[in-house]
Amino acid sequence: MIQLPVLDTDYDLVDGFHRRHDYLRISLIDKCNLRCHYCMPTDLQSVYRKDQLMSANEIFSIAEIFVKLGVKKIRLTGGEPLIRKDIDDILDRLSVLQVKLCVTTNGILIDRHINKMKASGLKSVNVSLDTLKKSKFSAITQRDNFDQVYANIMLLVSEGFNVKVNVVVMKNTNEDELTDFIALTEKLPLHVRFIEFMPFEGNDWAKDKVVGYEEMLRNINSHFNIEKLTDPVHSTSKKYKIPGYTGTFAFITTMSTPFCSDCNRLRLTADGKMKNCLFSKNEVDLLEAFRNGHELTPIIKSCLLDKKATLGGQPDPNQMENRSMILIGG
Ligand code: SAM
Ligand code: SF4
């Protein structure tokens, strides 16, 4: 007898490949207080005017629609989300939604907002830090904020947050620091995530700058005995730990082993465009529709039905057409 696929008729956010989507990443702003060369093009032309960005109210109203459709987790990102002047207001408003609220930040401004972060029920914070060396930090980011970022990671740990440290690994840049990052997990409850370098407009991506997961694993294996952990459903990462260590480490393998078949993520850019995939060329303008009083649910569902099976339908990294990472929101 032929087995027919089970259709998820009860759930609203299902795409043409039966993937259920319950995770929304919202970019709050296209600007940043760092200049990471893999993210922000040096000749970045377009930055949005204030009226092109979603207001705190619009962010809440659009997020609420996604939550009614089944979203269970919202991550705020950017640009740098904590440089938005109304970030505390945004956290306040989103805290009333029945979702797991998370933030991805470069860490510089955490001490200024930590009380509001706690009050909004936020428990999980991802902080980006690509090197443990001050001079290299300045070379990668064009800014001198290593001490602030490191101190704020320690602050988050001491305040009991679940802290992930995002490390974009690139050839001849920081591939020599994998074991130093893992050493941090001996005493600290940190979850280090090594991310393969991905192509976006203006970031000078080339295949030979990518350090693949297997190469990283070989390197780490030659220094430590490592243990594979079980990866939760929808996980984008492959998790490991050193037996006896407090924290863990993982690999985000978008370039070598994409995890699209299990994808549950949707994105909203700071100017209110819905992307059904990080690599999708097509975007749908939810903010304009919202401002014109249109119902968003059918627009969201139709955007989701257009989602491609893998990598936004752009399998060749050398030919990808997309915005720069800072304009999409990582
Ligand atoms: N400013 C915040 C931060 O740095 O964490 C949030 C925005 S940033 C675009 C989100 C994540 O995307 C960061 O962890 C960053 O390292 C990652 N990222 C940026 N460009 C990338 C690239 N080309 N390849 C892989 N990861 C990238
Ligand atoms: Fe800013 Fe984050 Fe991009 Fe770095 S990765 S330039 S911190 S948005």
Side-chain angles (χ1 to χ4, degrees), residues 32-36 38-40 78-80 106 128 326:
C32 189
N33 43 359
L34 294 182
R35 298 280 179 278
C36 308
Y38 54 76
C39 173
M40 186 191 284
E80 173 47 39
N106 62 30
S128 300
I326 193 146

Side-chain angles (χ1 to χ4, degrees), residues 38-39 77-81 104-106 128 166 168 195-198 200 203 325 330:
Y38 54 76
C39 173
T77 179
E80 173 47 39
T104 297
T105 166
N106 62 30
S128 300
N166 285 351
V168 179
I195 306 175
E196 292 175 350
F197 177 37
M198 298 181 253
F200 297 98
N203 79 350
M325 178 59 125

Side-chain angles (χ1 to χ4, degrees), residues 203-218:
N203 79 350
D204 250 347
W205 184 90
K207 197 165 179 239
D208 61 7
K209 293 182 188 169
V210 177
V211 186
Y213 147 66
E214 303 226 326
E215 185 180 341
M216 292 192 247
L217 203 55
R218 270 198 303 280

Side-chain angles (χ1 to χ4, degrees), residues 122-138:
L122 205 147
K123 296 194 170 54
S124 176
V125 182
N126 292 5
V127 184
S128 300
L129 180 66
D130 304 312
T131 175
L132 296 170
K133 297 178 180 156
K134 263 191 201 195
S135 57
K136 204 188 280 184
F137 181 94
S138 306

Side-chain angles (χ1 to χ4, degrees), residues 113-162:
H113 298 284
I114 194 146
N115 289 335
K116 182 55 72 181
M117 287 161 76
K118 278 198 279 187
S120 64
L122 205 147
K123 296 194 170 54
S124 176
V125 182
N126 292 5
V127 184
S128 300
L129 180 66
D130 304 312
T131 175
L132 296 170
K133 297 178 180 156
K134 263 191 201 195
S135 57
K136 204 188 280 184
F137 181 94
S138 306
I140 293 173
T141 66
Q142 301 299 309
R143 294 293 183 271
D144 203 6
N145 298 95
F146 176 84
D147 290 336
Q148 273 164 292
V149 175
Y150 195 81
N152 276 335
I153 290 175
M154 295 306 139
L155 176 65
L156 287 169
V157 169
S158 69
E159 294 284 347
F161 284 85
N162 178 29

Side-chain angles (χ1 to χ4, degrees), residues 55-111:
S55 67
N57 203 19
E58 287 164 341
I59 290 167
F60 174 77
S61 301
I62 296 175
E64 192 181 27
I65 294 168
F66 276 96
V67 173
K68 284 190 181 137
L69 291 172
V71 160
K72 300 272 183 299
K73 176 173 170 182
I74 291 180
R75 177 173 299 283
L76 304 179
T77 179
E80 173 47 39
L82 300 188
I83 65 170
R84 256 199 75 148
K85 296 222 162 34
D86 54 357
I87 180 67
D88 288 354
D89 184 24
I90 292 170
L91 288 172
D92 243 350
R93 285 168 195 249
L94 294 179
S95 69
V96 306
L97 295 176
Q98 294 294 308
V99 286
K100 182 178 178 197
L101 188 59
C102 313
V103 168
T104 297
T105 166
N106 62 30
I108 295 173
L109 297 175
I110 280 171
D111 50 322

Side-chain angles (χ1 to χ4, degrees), residues 39-53:
C39 173
M40 186 191 284
T42 41
D43 59 347
L44 187 66
Q45 302 295 335
S46 86
V47 280
Y48 307 127
R49 294 187 316 270
K50 194 161 176 237
D51 63 298
Q52 291 176 297
L53 294 177

